Amino acid sequence: MVKASSARRYGPLRAGPWRRGALAVVAGALPALCFPAPALWWLAYVTLVPWLLLIRSAGSGRRAALDGWLGGAGFLLAVHHWLLPSLHVFILVLAALLGLLWAPWGLVVHRLLGGSPGVGRCAAALVVVPSAWLMVELVRSWEYLGGPWGLFGASQWQVAPALRLASLGGIWLVSFLLVALNTALATLVRAPRARATGAVGVLACAAVAAGGWVWAPQPRGAGTVRIAVVQPGVISGAHSPQRRFDREEELTRRLVGHRPDLVVWGESSVGEDLDRRPDLRNRLAALSRETGADLLVNVDARRTDRPGIFKSSVLIGPGGPTGDRYDKMRLVPFGEYVPARSVLGWATSVGKAAGEDRQRGERQVLMRLPAGGTAAGGLRIGPLVCFESAFPDMSRKLARDGAQVIVAQSATSTFQHSWAPRQHASLAAMRAAETWRPVVHATLTGVSTVAGPRGEIVGTPLGTERSASAVYEVPLARGTSPYVRTGDWAVLGSVGILVCYAAAEVLRRFTRREVRKPAPEHP
């Protein structure tokens, strides 16, 4: 009788574990619609509410943890679904493993919002639930677990107030505020005893966003620099590296007379080591002389001076390589190396995992153009390669070291017709807003774009269908953003909130145990 009554009361939320599990996967996958290509960014303000309500209705903490796990797996599958042609069934294994990170988050949600919570629990949920979410994002951002692709705050890359908040606390602050807003709405919907608390939470989130928009400092203009992007497009078949080089050379020659200060080629734009191929080196130097600009190319080849294959950003001047080289530090798991290859090497037989591990660079590099730009002594650029643009700490370090422009070289040819190119290009706006430094995102086949110091898109991006070169008038900025100065204070604050919450829980349980002890008998 009790079970039947419970099933009638909660409907599909309690009846049938398989149905509930499917609902958890779907609810967790909904936030993927906020990212490009759907780009339903406004959905981020409500998209976690179904998942939160499902977890709070769980009959036990174990069920809530399972709902968190399944929802997390659904989210990862939806955000990374374009990896399916490359990893095949292995993407299901990865989603299941990383989805476990949301199990503790599910426990926290159930503990604070489950049952009939009062004002105290709901008020705590407004800060504890987003703090726990941030810990999930922080852990999964570790490069060996796949990196920070699909952080919730990245869905707001085209929303000016959110970009202003990113300049204060990075993408972490944006994620925190989005989860807090969803938690407040869930409280407003399903916590009759604390609806006022939910309303106050919604107003507080709106006030923080408005306050950031009105009072956050802004970068000061510092002139412009002309940067050209060369995007050759999809080139396949036999001798594709050589044909790609020829196409990039042709597109670069079209820039003669346009007076760029820098020409940027995409990731893996040069397929052979320049020390082994002096003919390619000489052709690049000739292009630099003809255009009157230095070239930043990316060499994906086996080196002569060090063992192994490196992906390296190399600066080319009129006389050839200038000596400035940056070796990619953070590699794409399975795409550029296989973690624990002795154990997971079988992934190469079921997908397109790397047959040989690429080698890692040791440090980030700041390059200075000998001429060009408006700054005395030349323009200072900070190169990143491919998905390194997803890491907030890397662009923040380059800005702190003095980079005036951050250049991200990418290649998304494997995922040309998926959501990946637009998702990747959108990160340029977020990194630019965080650092007050323009970001040039140059690709071989994806979406090449330029974001100004406030995160605004400069000019017209080159879409996936384009094979072209384009010159952008890139605005420079003075000053240091609060996020570059203060770092990940939103993450540290979330850690402090969780520590206080854990201490309060321990104290509460200890106090309750003391109260329950029987009083001593008097003789």
Side-chain angles (χ1 to χ4, degrees), residues 413-437:
S413 52
T414 306
F415 314 107
Q416 179 75 353
H417 302 292
S418 70
W419 293 1
R422 291 180 181 87
Q423 286 184 18
H424 200 176
S426 69
L427 296 175
M430 192 60 67
R431 299 290 86 84
E434 289 174 338
T435 59
W436 287 0
R437 297 295 177 264

Side-chain angles (χ1 to χ4, degrees), residues 271-294:
E272 298 188 58
D273 185 72
L274 295 177
D275 289 336
R276 298 177 187 271
R277 292 291 303 273
D279 58 323
L280 298 182
R281 186 173 66 241
N282 293 336
R283 288 166 66 180
L284 290 170
L287 287 174
S288 177
R289 292 192 295 270
E290 291 176 37
T291 59
D294 285 0

Side-chain angles (χ1 to χ4, degrees), residues 225 227 379-383 403-407 437-440 474 476:
V225 63
I227 297 181
L379 185 73
R380 298 184 299 277
I381 62 173
Q404 294 168 283
V405 178
I406 296 171
V407 180
R437 297 295 177 264
V439 175
V440 177
V474 182
L476 303 178

